[in-house]
Amino acid sequence: MPAYKRILLKLSGEALMGDDAFGINRSTIVRIVEEVAEVTRLGVEVAVVIGGGNIFRGVAGGSVGMDRATADYMGMLATVMNSLALGDAFEKVGVKARVMSAIAIDQVVEPYVRPKALQYLEEGKVVVFAAGTGNPFFTTDTAAALRGAEIGAAIVLKATKVDGIYTADPKKDPAATLYSSISFDEAITRQLEVMDATAFALCRDQKLPIKVFSIFKPGALRRVVMGADEGTLVHV
């Protein structure tokens, strides 16, 4: 039996790039979607929040000197593009998915309404939350913490390129060791950059644990939802 009935999966936009400089690598998105599809077949209810860095990276040069709020709204639109791509990829592998946006784009995607999102999850659909929180100055990490709390997720799964949180950058320090678990207070004090402090604080206050793991390790997502010793657990 899965260890978690309902999860919030946080993906970075960069996770979709594969080896490309920016944009969406089709084989990469298909592989990630297939990993998620596998856990849905176990009966796990899955919601997803994705960043927009892979899309926004292509226009980042033009954002230099731009008003922060304007740049953040552009980033939200980038997450909508990624969310639509994810939703389409889920449908292609036979998984029903719904994309819900925190900003109104009714002709493209339905608005985020909490009771509707809960209904979709209970029906076994994957729900992809687009446009972050709908507000500038808040990251998609914070959006993941917020949506995770709102839908009653058992855990937030932060999918990264590394297999957890290390004492130092493992690429720069061969002696760096992996934390199997760490408290929210220690993560905030140490200024660990795996998630922003606002997201850590929100999850801490809601007693919502975070698991940091590598989405690029085959089967890692399944192992996490089954309760295996994978990645780093951030807890109260």
Side-chain angles (χ1 to χ4, degrees):
M1 290 290 291
Y4 307 106
K5 172 64 176 174
R6 179 177 294 168
I7 64 171
L8 189 293
L9 178 65
K10 170 59 173 69
L11 288 168
S12 68
E14 287 81 359
L16 304 185
M17 295 192 314
D19 294 326
D20 299 338
F22 59 88
I24 298 170
N25 181 284
R26 186 64 189 175
S27 62
T28 299
I29 194 173
V30 168
R31 187 190 58 76
I32 291 173
V33 162
E34 287 175 344
E35 296 264 348
V36 177
E38 183 180 8
V39 302
T40 64
R41 289 191 285 270
L42 298 173
V44 179
E45 297 173 2
V46 181
V48 182
V49 169
I50 187 164
N54 59 314
I55 302 295
F56 197 66
R57 180 175 295 189
V59 296
S63 69
V64 175
M66 185 180 293
D67 178 80
R68 168 65 188 275
T70 300
D72 282 358
Y73 280 117
M74 291 173 65
M76 290 178 215
L77 294 176
T79 74
V80 174
M81 296 171 67
N82 281 339
S83 297
L84 289 170
L86 269 179
D88 179 75
F90 277 120
E91 295 285 346
K92 290 287 197 302
V93 298
V95 176
K96 293 295 182 183
R98 294 291 183 269
V99 179
M100 307 185 85
S101 173
I103 56 177
I105 321 176
D106 293 350
Q107 293 92 334
V108 178
V109 62
E110 67 180 288
Y112 168 69
V113 179
R114 179 175 176 269
K116 196 70 174 177
L118 292 172
Q119 178 187 327
Y120 288 149
L121 289 168
E122 290 164 1
E123 292 171 350
K125 298 180 175 71
V126 172
V127 181
V128 184
F129 296 123
T133 67
N135 301 287
F137 309 109
F138 291 94
T139 67
T140 51
D141 282 344
T142 300
L146 175 63
R147 296 290 182 248
E150 285 185 305
I151 66 171
I155 192 167
V156 171
L157 303 183
K158 168 77 173 185
T160 69
K161 293 183 177 181
V162 294
D163 56 351
I165 301 174
Y166 282 79
T167 53
D169 186 341
K171 293 181 179 178
K172 299 177 181 178
D173 184 359
T177 58
L178 177 71
Y179 289 105
S180 61
S181 68
I182 188 172
S183 71
F184 283 112
D185 288 338
E186 188 175 0
I188 293 169
T189 300
R190 290 177 176 271
Q191 297 182 320
L192 299 176
E193 297 180 355
V194 66
M195 291 185 87
D196 65 77
T198 304
F200 275 142
L202 179 55
C203 285
R204 178 193 61 192
D205 294 346
Q206 297 301 315
K207 297 180 172 56
L208 177 60
I210 299 169
K211 174 77 80 164
V212 182
F213 74 104
S214 172
I215 194 65
F216 293 97
K217 286 178 65 177
L221 178 59
R222 185 182 191 279
R223 290 192 293 275
V224 168
V225 300
M226 294 302 291
D229 184 18
E230 183 82 30
T232 302
L233 181 67
V234 189
H235 58 89
V236 175

